Structures are given as structure tokens and as C-alpha cells.
Amino acid sequence: MRSPRAVPWERTPVGHRHDKPNCRCRRPRTRVCLRKGCGRKYQPRRWNQHSCQDPECVRLVRRWQAAKRQAKRRQDETAKLQHAEAERVRRQRIPSSPQAPKPPEIGAARGHAARIFSPTPLCDRPGCHEPVAKSGRSQARYCCSACRQAVRRVVDRERKWQFRGTFRGRQAREQEYQAARARRRGG
């Protein structure tokens, strides 16, 4: 007699099965894009997907990520030394003009020396290019409370999503469901 297990060629197709009443597949709900200024609703393909996959949105998020990386690199002392050395080499490579050299004129500083460059850190919300808010007690990470709340919602959702996949998480959810059923029944 054959075992009750299905043979390999009779397996169900890849994907979510919703015909089982207690299916354990955890499909994410629709979400709102985290990028500042987008606000589109989308169906995530992964549990940790933060933004819609619209090409324009992806381009702007990557641009924001590059700006964050560049700002962080500019703060590094070794990067500053490397940049200064590269600029010195570049200035030496410039060929001298065939005319007679002019006496150097003392004028205002130009280029990167015209101002002291101390970039303000950018907000940690994807797509937000605004400087962080001033904070007296600690280092701020967001430009406003709306950005802070948006990122906090995403971080909480991901933390809860990961916890639900553990044994303790499933037990806690079962207890919550039992308590909710008892409240609905009135006792």
C-alpha cells in the first residue's frame, strides 16, 4: 500500500496555498512606500521590502543612499587626506601655459577652498535630503517627527514579523488570540 504522502510529480505548484484553513504561509499585507514624497501602496514581495519597486522610486532611493555614503566618507580623516593628495597631484599635472607666467594675484579663494565644507548629516528616512533637526541632548537622526515615525513603524513591523516566526512568538500570538476570543464571548 502506498504511503499517504504525495509523490514528487504530484506536488502542488510553487506559491502560496490558501485552500488550507490553518495555512502557515505569512504573506505581507499591502504597505505604503517609505520613501519621502512617494506614498504609493504596494504589495511587497519580501517581508523586509521598504519601498515600492517603481523605477523612479528605486532611482531616487539609490541616489539618496549614494548621498549618505558620500557624506559619511567626507567625515573620515583618511578620506580627507586622500582627497587632498589627489588634488595636489592634479594641480601638478596641469600643463603650464606657453605664455609668460603672470604674477600671482591675491584674490578670493575659489573652488573647494572657498568655504569650509562641513556637510550637515542627512535625515535617515530614504529619499529625505533635509538636514537633521537640532537636538540639545543627543545626536538627532531625522529632520522631523513625521520621518521619525515613518521609520519607526517600519522597524517595529519588521521586528514583530521576525518574532512571529519563532516558537515564543507563535505562543504569544496564540495567547493573544485566546484572550481576544474570551473578550468577544463576554467572559
Side-chain angles (χ1 to χ4, degrees), residues 32-40 50 60-61 64-65 68 122-130 132 141-154:
V32 178
C33 184
L34 180 61
R35 185 182 68 83
K36 188 171 187 177
C38 182
R40 285 192 193 102
H50 296 163
L60 291 172
V61 167
W64 171 82
Q65 288 171 334
K68 288 280 285 186
L122 296 177
C123 179
D124 273 358
R125 182 178 184 182
C128 184
H129 291 275
E130 307 210 3
V132 297
R141 294 175 54 196
Y142 304 103
C143 63
C144 61
S145 60
C147 285
R148 186 180 68 245
Q149 286 289 43
V151 174
R152 184 179 289 172
R153 276 195 304 269
V154 170

Side-chain angles (χ1 to χ4, degrees), residues 64-186:
W64 171 82
Q65 288 171 334
K68 288 280 285 186
R69 277 194 311 271
Q70 184 67 22
K72 186 176 180 182
R73 179 167 164 73
R74 282 187 180 134
Q75 298 300 321
D76 187 27
E77 290 300 322
T78 57
K80 288 180 186 178
L81 293 174
Q82 286 174 352
H83 179 70
E85 178 64 23
E87 286 296 310
R88 187 183 62 73
V89 169
R90 183 189 63 81
R91 283 191 298 271
Q92 289 175 350
R93 268 192 320 212
I94 296 175
S96 60
S97 60
Q99 295 109 6
K102 296 180 183 176
E105 296 176 14
I106 308 278
R110 299 185 337 236
H112 71 280
R115 59 187 162 90
I116 304 299
F117 185 72
S118 89
T120 57
L122 296 177
C123 179
D124 273 358
R125 182 178 184 182
C128 184
H129 291 275
E130 307 210 3
V132 297
K134 300 285 186 206
S135 176
R137 286 183 270 157
S138 63
Q139 179 66 33
R141 294 175 54 196
Y142 304 103
C143 63
C144 61
S145 60
C147 285
R148 186 180 68 245
Q149 286 289 43
V151 174
R152 184 179 289 172
R153 276 195 304 269
V154 170
V155 170
D156 278 350
R157 180 183 65 224
E158 289 179 0
R159 179 183 52 80
K160 290 174 184 175
W161 184 267
Q162 286 180 327
F163 181 66
R164 286 178 188 142
T166 64
F167 178 72
R168 287 181 48 217
R170 285 193 295 271
Q171 282 183 324
R173 295 279 291 192
E174 187 58 36
Q175 290 174 355
E176 287 176 23
Y177 292 155
Q178 286 175 357
R181 275 190 236 114
R183 279 195 307 272
R184 279 195 303 266
R185 279 190 234 128

Side-chain angles (χ1 to χ4, degrees), residues 40 52-59:
R40 285 192 193 102
C52 62
Q53 296 302 302
D54 180 57
E56 181 68 13
C57 195
V58 169
R59 185 182 70 78

